[in-house]
Amino acid sequence: MSPARWSTERVIGLAPDAASARAGRAQAAAVRWSGAGASAAAVWGYCQGSGKKPYQTCVELAGPAYRCSCPSRKFPCKHALGLLLRWAGGELPEEPEPEFVTAWLAERARRAERTEQRRESAGPRDPEAAAKRAERRADRVSAGAGELREWLLDQVRGGLAGLERGGAEELRRVAARMVDAQAPGLAGGLRRAAGLVGRRKDWPSRVLAELSLLYLLAEAGSRLDELPHALAETVRTRLGFNTDTARVLSSGERVSDTWLVGGVLDEERDQLVTRRSWLFGERSGRVALVLSFAPPGQPLSSVLPAGHVLPAELAFHPSALPLRALVADHGPPVPATRPDGDTIDVALAAHARAMAADPWLDRWPVLLSGLRPARHGEELVLSDVDGRILPLVPGFDPWRLLAVSAGAMVTLAGEWGSAGLRPLLCWDGDRAVRL
């Protein structure tokens, strides 16, 4: 017996990019397929391409994992997406798995078993050597933070006006020194500041705000032993220290709830795609950020499809503001009906409390109801019934939101930050629409 079919939106959410999503829809035409079927573990079929021999395509549903004989380097490829769309539409009959599917699933199971055996045979890491490496890195980061503090003070004494002439390159040079000091958090802040120099009339104040936060972080990094434990963990994370996944799963705060996946956003930087998934707890009222990473064109985690709810237990990273989390256990996701969102005032108050706990917070999840797109001068904003407004981030494409709203109030989820609101999801009745 096959598992519950996925929604079309969940399948499209697997696409590595918008072009793949469009191509996948085109491949869902029944005329392209032969020998297609489904079992409890997989779906499969033969898709006719431009050559004489059809492509052999199958998807393991538990992962999901994908296999296709086409030459595409994208995962999932358009043929796998088209096959899943046919399955989501109830077009695939339940059939015994053909030999090529059975062999592939068996090989995947053997590889997983070998990986687990290697992990168990590797044994524990040398704790003494690990402690020495950690100490050496902490010393380098502390020295880098001290150097950055002095450099920042020199910039303020000399004034920021000179940055417009070659200042961006100077900021990038100092960022490279922070990379050498193994402080990627400080380097990232310097690169952000470099990207602001000379842009818009208010660039000096925006650069000053970024550099002020960097100074605060560098100062806090030199006083970790004096900080409360939770705040020290926040500072270490912002500096760029990783928190061991095993530690989070073993000792992180656990929260079990039914979680709404209110938005999923993929961003590519430095040959790495980062997926941010924002979760809203229905009973706990908690919010969470789950991150996953993959090289461009490779599959990202699809455990959390946007616009769905699922029962799950999350393990939160230690922090003064517990926000980032790992999915420790979860049930099957199902499409979400339209939730009740907050007002603008309630959402901004929550953001203010979050900023008080973590002043380096650059984005915050919001779930809002009773908003409609409106004009404010030359800008498109979101307005509530009392005329309060939220600006949208520059570059946001509003057309899908405008089509869903059609002038009426909408419920939406998104990211709120200093540049404005980035809507990620809205509801058309009880149907979630990705933006």
Side-chain angles (χ1 to χ4, degrees):
M1 180 178 178
S2 295
R5 293 195 302 269
W6 300 348
S7 66
T8 298
E9 290 78 11
R10 181 178 179 184
V11 174
I12 292 300
L14 298 172
D17 50 47
S20 295
R22 291 192 296 270
R25 290 184 185 275
Q27 296 299 318
V31 68
R32 296 180 179 273
W33 292 89
S34 62
S39 69
V43 294
W44 61 87
Y46 296 88
C47 186
Q48 185 61 55
S50 57
K52 292 182 179 180
K53 188 176 181 180
Y55 296 125
Q56 195 180 69
T57 308
C58 54
V59 179
E60 183 184 21
L61 299 172
Y66 317 97
R67 179 182 181 277
C68 186
S69 59
C70 76
S72 174
R73 293 187 177 183
K74 294 183 178 181
F75 295 92
C77 68
K78 61 184 180 181
H79 309 106
L81 289 170
L83 180 63
L84 285 170
L85 286 170
R86 292 200 65 208
W87 176 60
E91 299 179 32
L92 300 188
E94 293 185 17
E95 300 280 357
E97 293 167 358
E99 183 178 352
F100 81 92
V101 174
T102 302
W104 179 61
L105 294 177
E107 177 57 28
R108 281 184 52 77
R110 286 193 294 270
R111 286 202 303 267
E113 184 179 357
R114 289 195 296 267
T115 299
E116 181 63 20
Q117 289 173 349
R118 286 196 298 269
R119 187 187 66 81
E120 292 177 353
S121 63
R125 294 183 301 173
D126 183 344
E128 184 176 347
K132 288 181 179 179
R133 289 194 298 270
E135 184 178 358
R136 287 195 297 269
R137 183 185 177 187
D139 289 343
R140 296 189 69 175
V141 171
S142 179
E147 178 187 345
L148 179 61
R149 289 201 310 275
E150 292 304 315
W151 184 85
L152 289 170
L153 289 174
D154 288 343
Q155 302 312 301
V156 172
R157 294 187 190 105
L160 299 181
L163 285 178
E164 192 167 13
R165 300 183 302 275
E169 192 58 38
E170 174 70 6
L171 287 164
R172 294 188 183 97
R173 185 188 65 79
V174 180
R177 293 180 65 86
M178 293 304 104
V179 172
D180 293 339
Q182 295 182 284
L186 298 176
L190 288 162
R191 285 193 291 264
R192 286 194 297 272
L196 297 173
V197 172
R199 295 189 177 184
R200 297 179 20 178
K201 293 181 179 180
D202 62 345
W203 73 263
S205 62
R206 298 172 70 208
V207 170
L208 180 61
E210 190 70 52
L211 297 184
S212 298
L213 287 173
L214 276 175
Y215 184 86
L216 180 63
L217 181 58
E219 179 69 21
S222 67
R223 300 169 53 191
L224 284 173
D225 293 340
E226 304 172 28
L227 301 178
H229 175 72
L231 181 56
E233 291 286 358
T234 297
V235 173
R236 284 177 56 82
T237 298
R238 295 301 181 185
L239 286 170
F241 287 92
N242 293 325
T243 303
D244 186 65
T245 296
R247 176 190 168 200
V248 175
L249 291 174
S250 64
S251 60
E253 178 192 10
R254 296 288 187 109
V255 179
S256 295
D257 205 341
T258 299
W259 298 90
L260 166 67
V261 186
V264 175
L265 184 65
D266 296 344
E267 289 186 341
E268 181 178 342
R269 180 179 300 172
D270 299 329
Q271 296 299 306
L272 186 70
V273 178
T274 300
R275 171 166 290 175
R276 295 196 298 272
S277 300
W278 293 106
L279 276 61
F280 299 82
E282 291 188 353
R283 297 185 303 275
S284 65
R286 295 285 293 271
V287 293
L289 169 64
V290 178
L291 298 178
S292 58
F293 308 92
Q298 297 299 307
L300 285 151
S301 172
S302 59
V303 168
L304 304 171
H308 287 63
V309 293
L310 73 165
E313 183 177 32
L314 303 186
F316 282 83
H317 284 239
S319 173
L321 177 69
L323 181 63
R324 186 179 173 187
L326 301 174
V327 180
D329 191 22
H330 67 91
V334 297
T337 57
R338 182 172 56 188
D340 293 327
D342 293 327
T343 64
I344 289 178
D345 286 346
V346 170
L348 293 182
H351 178 249
R353 291 191 296 270
M355 289 290 292
D358 181 358
W360 304 282
L361 185 71
D362 55 355
R363 53 180 67 90
W364 178 251
V366 292
L367 180 62
L368 300 162
S369 289
L371 299 182
R372 65 160 56 96
R375 281 286 177 186
H376 183 70
E378 297 297 319
E379 302 293 330
L380 185 67
V381 299
L382 292 174
S383 174
D384 67 9
V385 67
D386 296 320
R388 297 179 180 85
I389 63 171
L390 292 177
L392 298 172
V393 293
F396 173 70
D397 184 352
W399 293 110
R400 183 168 291 189
L401 177 59
L402 291 170
V404 172
S405 169
M409 297 292 189
V410 295
T411 295
L412 59 84
E415 294 178 340
W416 172 251
S418 59
L421 177 66
R422 181 198 295 267
L424 299 175
L425 194 73
C426 70
W427 275 264
D428 181 12
D430 279 334
R431 183 176 68 91
V433 178
R434 293 186 68 172
L435 301 173

